[in-house]
Structures are given as structure tokens and as C-alpha cells.
Amino acid sequence: MAQAFTWRLEASVHTPPRRYHAAMAHDSARGRTVLFGGYDSNSSTTFGDCWEWDGTDWVARFSQHYPPARWMTAMVYDASRQRLVLFGGFGPQPAMADTWEFDGIDWQQRIVAPTPAGRFGHAMAYDSARQRTVLFGGLLSQSGSLSNQTWEWDGTVWVLRTPGLAPSARSGHGMAYDPIRQRTVLFGGSNANPLADTWEWDGTNW
């Protein structure tokens, strides 16, 4: 018999200020869900703060270093290295092409070359079998065009993958890793029109 699940509104003592297009990922080693950035159109505020949810309350995390404020960024948890990985996004300077990692104590910028071009509205997922962060698509900040590139981050370098077939260029899509079938699953997004296609990446081909 299928188990029934329901949504429940959680009341907490503390909460981040209202926002949208923030990034979130779950740090399984520390048992915390981490939130970074976002935007509030009512106050025209681009956030650069970091919050953690422990299942009971939100806690603002303060560290020596922070990524610049941004929204429409992407963030995943690298379980093998126990680091959150954040790339790109839209900020006061829209050409965001920076890579940051958070170990639960401090943020560190990883300055490497080559690197994906600055973008926002992209998606990332962590392939635990191959220990790679997979990045796809997004709106390129400098040219204003959509991307259909596939990049992978192994904790040291970004590598542009060139499969023979790839999803069409898009932004705003969803992407997650299926550990049972060892596939990264992508759905939808927009290329000026909403999309409803499903793709899978096995580390070699889409």
C-alpha cells in the first residue's frame, strides 16, 4: 500500500526575509538544508545571505567569506567531498561565472580555467556514482542567448562535455539525480515558450 504524504506549514521562531529564485540544497553530512541568495521585487533587494534549516528552526549563518549577492543561481551538495557547490546567477553584475563551495563553516571561491560562461536560470545536479556536479543550460549573461551546454565539475576542474545529442537550449528547467538508475533527469524549462520534454544524462550521452 502506498504511503500517504502531506505538506505541512512549519512555524519557526526565525525565518529568512521573503524572497524568490533562491538556491537550496541539503547537506546530508550535517543534516542541514542550506539556502543562499534570492530576490525580493517589493524592495528590489538581491540577497547574499546564507541560512540553514535543521527541521525545527532557521539559523542565519555568518562566515568570513561569502559569494556576492545573486538570484537565479544553482547549488547542489557534493556528498563525496562534503561541500555545497554554487555556480553563476544574476546579481548586481549579471555576468556571474564564479564557482563557490561551502563546507558548513566558510565559503571559498574556486578560481579555475576553463569555466562555464556567466549565466542564470541554469540547473545543476550531483551525480553521486561518478562524483560529478552536472550543469546544463541557462541564459548567458553576456550574449543574452540560451545555452545547451553540458558541463561537469569534479571539485578541481570544469569540463565541457560534447555529446552527440543534447536537449535544446533553455533556462528555468528542473534537474535531479536518480541514484537507483544512475541518471541525471531533466524536465521542461523555457526557450521563450514552455517546454515539456524529459531527458536523461548517463555521464556520456543524453
Side-chain angles (χ1 to χ4, degrees):
M1 182 176 178
Q3 185 175 356
F5 294 93
T6 61
W7 284 97
R8 181 178 65 191
L9 177 62
E10 295 286 352
S12 58
V13 175
H14 307 96
T15 187
R18 62 186 181 187
R19 67 193 66 197
Y20 56 88
H21 285 310
M24 290 179 64
H26 183 69
D27 182 332
S28 56
R30 297 188 304 115
R32 300 288 188 273
T33 297
V34 181
L35 177 150
F36 182 84
Y39 185 73
D40 177 10
S41 57
N42 290 329
S43 62
S44 298
T45 301
T46 300
F47 291 97
D49 52 351
C50 182
W51 291 77
E52 290 186 344
W53 171 255
D54 63 5
T56 302
D57 199 10
W58 285 100
V59 176
R61 290 304 306 267
F62 300 99
S63 57
Q64 184 177 357
H65 307 97
Y66 286 96
R70 69 194 66 202
W71 53 299
M72 296 185 73
T73 183
M75 186 169 71
V76 298
Y77 181 66
D78 180 332
S80 65
R81 298 187 305 114
Q82 298 185 355
R83 299 285 190 277
L84 286 158
V85 180
L86 180 147
F87 180 83
F90 190 94
Q93 301 297 324
M96 309 290 275
D98 48 350
T99 304
W100 290 80
E101 294 188 333
F102 182 60
D103 62 3
I105 298 174
D106 200 9
W107 288 92
Q108 177 188 11
Q109 185 176 5
R110 303 297 306 276
I111 301 174
V112 296
T115 186
R119 67 192 64 206
F120 55 91
H122 51 295
M124 298 198 310
Y126 180 68
D127 182 330
S128 55
R130 297 186 307 114
Q131 299 181 358
R132 300 287 188 275
T133 293
V134 182
L135 179 154
F136 183 84
L139 184 63
L140 300 181
S141 303
Q142 294 176 326
S143 66
S145 61
L146 292 169
S147 171
N148 75 333
Q149 291 181 335
T150 304
W151 288 82
E152 292 187 336
W153 169 253
D154 66 1
T156 303
V157 296
W158 281 103
V159 176
L160 175 63
R161 303 301 305 272
T162 55
L165 179 65
S168 60
R170 66 191 66 200
S171 66
H173 45 293
M175 201 161 74
Y177 183 68
D178 179 342
I180 305 300
R181 300 174 48 252
Q182 298 186 354
R183 299 287 190 276
T184 295
V185 183
L186 179 153
F187 179 81
S190 173
N191 61 0
N193 294 298
L195 299 167
D197 48 348
T198 304
W199 291 80
E200 293 187 334
W201 169 250
D202 64 6
T204 302
N205 293 303
W206 284 100

